[in-house]
Amino acid sequence: SLLNRNMADPRAEPTFLAVKPDGVQRGLVGEIISRFRKLGYQLVAGKFVWPSKDLLHDHYAELSSKPFFPGLIEYMSSGPVFAMVWEGTDVVSVGRKTIGATNPRKSPIGTIRGDLAIDVGRNICYGSESVGTAEREIALWFTTDEVASYDLARRIGFIKKN
Ligand code: IDP
C-alpha cells in the first residue's frame, strides 16, 4: 500500500476522490473538501491534474464498452480535475454515500451530487467503489512521495473510534 496504516485507528482505510472538470470550473473544490473534512476524514494528498486520455482509459477501464464512454473521456479530459487521497474509518463506503447516486437528479438532497448537480454527464465528483479500486486508483494518480502520512490529535476524542 502507498499509505502507512494508522495505528490509532486500525479500521482507517484510504480512498481516491476527485473533483471533476465541471466541479473545478464551478468553484466547488473547497465545498467538497469541506464536506469530507467536517465528516472527520483526513486529506493526505491533493493536486490539480489535467488528465490525459490514456490515464482516463486506465481509470475507467471497466466502462470502456458503455455507450457513454467516449463522452465520458471527452468530459473528463476537458480541463483539470482536483485529485485527492482521503483516509479514515469506512471512508470508501461513507464517501460513496456522501457523493450520492450517479444520476444527480436521483441523488438525495444532502448528498454532494443531490445538492450541487443536475446532469448525469456532469456530476462534479468521483469516489472509489471499494478499498481494492481505491488502492489501484491512488497508485494510478499519485506517486508515493505525494501522499503525506501524518497523525491528527485523536487523543482529545473528537474523532470517534467505535
Ligand atoms: P459513479 O461515478 O457514480 O461511480 P459509474 O457508473 O462508475 O458511476 O460511471 C462513471 C461516470 O460515467 C459517472 O460518474 C458519469 O460521469 C458517467 N456516466 C455514467 N452513466 C452515464 C450515462 O448514462 N450517461 C452519461 N454519463 C454517464
Side-chain angles (χ1 to χ4, degrees):
S1 165
L2 278 176
L3 297 172
N4 296 325
R5 292 294 167 200
N6 188 326
M7 292 305 151
D9 184 354
R11 285 187 300 162
E13 62 189 23
T15 195
F16 173 76
L17 301 177
V19 183
K20 293 178 172 183
D22 54 329
V24 171
Q25 293 297 322
R26 291 179 54 207
L28 298 175
V29 171
E31 162 94 24
I32 290 169
I33 290 175
S34 175
R35 286 191 180 213
F36 280 94
R37 189 66 194 88
K38 285 188 282 188
L39 268 170
Y41 290 124
Q42 185 179 2
L43 181 61
V44 296
K47 63 179 176 180
F48 282 107
V49 185
W50 191 323
S52 68
K53 291 187 180 180
D54 279 354
L55 173 60
L56 294 167
H57 275 93
D58 209 341
H59 178 79
Y60 281 124
E62 73 277 19
L63 298 177
S64 61
S65 62
K66 301 282 187 192
F68 59 80
F69 186 73
L72 174 61
I73 299 300
E74 284 301 319
Y75 156 49
M76 288 296 296
S77 61
S78 67
V81 311
F82 193 72
M84 295 170 279
V85 181
W86 285 82
E87 201 180 13
T89 306
D90 290 332
V91 69
V92 172
S93 65
V94 177
R96 295 279 292 186
K97 197 172 73 175
T98 301
I99 287 169
T102 303
N103 184 340
R105 273 171 286 164
K106 294 186 176 147
S107 195
I109 300 301
T111 63
I112 292 170
R113 286 172 176 164
D115 287 349
L116 302 173
I118 48 174
D119 184 347
V120 69
R122 296 289 183 273
N123 60 6
I124 70 172
C125 56
Y126 174 85
S128 302
E129 192 159 35
S130 68
V131 176
T133 59
E135 287 182 344
R136 185 184 88 84
E137 290 161 0
I138 292 164
L140 190 60
W141 290 80
F142 287 94
T143 61
T144 306
D145 67 353
E146 288 174 328
V147 182
S149 183
Y150 64 98
D151 290 330
L152 294 175
R154 290 166 200 276
R155 68 189 179 281
I156 49 185
F158 290 149
I159 297 170
K160 204 169 184 298
K161 293 206 282 289
N162 45 39

